[in-house]
Amino acid sequence: MEVYVLRLGHRIGRDHRVSTHVALTARAFGAKGIYFTKEDKNLFMSVERVVKTWGGEFFIKTADWKRLLGEFDGLKVHLTMYGIPLPEKIEEIRKARKVLVVVGAEKVPREVYELCDLNISIGTQPHSEVSALAIFLDRVIGQTFTLTFDNAKLKIIPSEKGKKVLKLGD
Ligand code: SAM
């Protein structure tokens, strides 16, 4: 299955840290790439630096959200605390060949609820786009603890204490 993320409503400056974490969570938990509705050069560069160092083919780019939601040829899933609990729809989602998962920042436009195939909640309490995305990807892709990345320059050797990092190239 291929999973892509759409980050809606990123506010330059204010959302820098959370949006960076959304992108890094997407990559680390197995999504192929992330679309932002606004270009943020510094943020894009810092995510691309992580990809260069830690490997993989993850992309970060801008997209017009209405066009992307109109043209995406797979299942569109909007994460919102108002939606249907993930366990009730997990089988349907796992059957999809391609998934676009949408997470918000500020208030999400009403249209998004209509344009997406599913509105899914990760619990019915307000929390964060980072935690919602992480749980969604873990449940749907299920490679959080097994995923490896090609072309990595660094690799962590899990250890009981301290930090062990293997250098694989320049
Ligand atoms: N106040 C905004 C609204 O009413 O649309 C939501 C802000 S919330 C901090 C940012 C994003 O986190 C949401 O757009 C949603 O994607 C995600 N999120 C937060 N809590 C969630 C939950 N319980 N289930 C699913 N997604 C959630």
Side-chain angles (χ1 to χ4, degrees):
M1 175 198 282
E2 290 176 15
V3 180
Y4 301 86
V5 176
L6 168 60
R7 169 48 159 172
L8 274 181
H10 166 72
R11 294 159 292 187
I12 292 178
R14 184 174 168 165
D15 288 327
H16 183 93
R17 194 170 153 82
V18 174
S19 290
T20 305
H21 290 179
V22 168
L24 295 182
T25 298
R27 173 187 169 273
F29 292 3
K32 302 279 180 206
I34 188 165
Y35 299 95
F36 273 68
T37 47
K38 215 179 264 169
E39 175 154 23
D40 184 334
K41 284 207 170 79
N42 286 339
L43 189 158
F44 283 26
M45 270 163 49
S46 70
V47 172
E48 279 158 0
R49 267 200 303 273
V50 169
V51 177
K52 253 191 172 166
T53 305
W54 295 96
E57 304 285 328
F58 186 82
F59 70 76
I60 180 164
K61 56 176 146 183
T62 48
D64 177 294
W65 65 266
K66 273 191 203 173
R67 181 181 287 183
L68 181 62
L69 288 177
E71 292 176 352
F72 187 77
D73 58 341
L75 189 71
K76 292 164 283 188
V77 181
H78 171 220
L79 296 186
T80 165
M81 65 178 176
Y82 304 105
I84 304 298
L86 180 61
E88 290 183 29
K89 296 285 181 183
I90 189 87
E91 294 311 324
E92 179 181 342
I93 297 170
R94 283 190 187 138
K95 280 184 196 141
R97 187 181 51 84
K98 273 176 87 174
V99 173
L100 179 66
V101 51
V102 184
V103 291
E106 52 192 342
K107 197 168 164 42
V108 172
R110 183 75 228 165
E111 241 179 312
V112 173
Y113 290 76
E114 305 300 331
L115 287 171
C116 286
D117 302 300
L118 297 172
N119 291 290
I120 293 294
S121 65
I122 307 293
T124 51
Q125 300 297 314
H127 46 90
S128 151
E129 46 274 53
V130 179
S131 49
L133 181 64
I135 289 181
F136 179 86
L137 295 176
D138 183 63
R139 294 285 178 101
V140 170
I141 299 179
Q143 289 182 8
T144 308
F145 296 98
T146 52
L147 201 60
T148 54
F149 294 95
D150 293 336
N151 307 321
K153 291 181 180 155
L154 296 177
K155 185 180 180 217
I156 288 173
I157 310 298
S159 50
E160 296 280 357
K161 290 186 181 176
K163 303 176 185 176
K164 276 191 197 153
V165 182
L166 205 61
K167 278 196 178 157
L168 302 171
D170 348 284

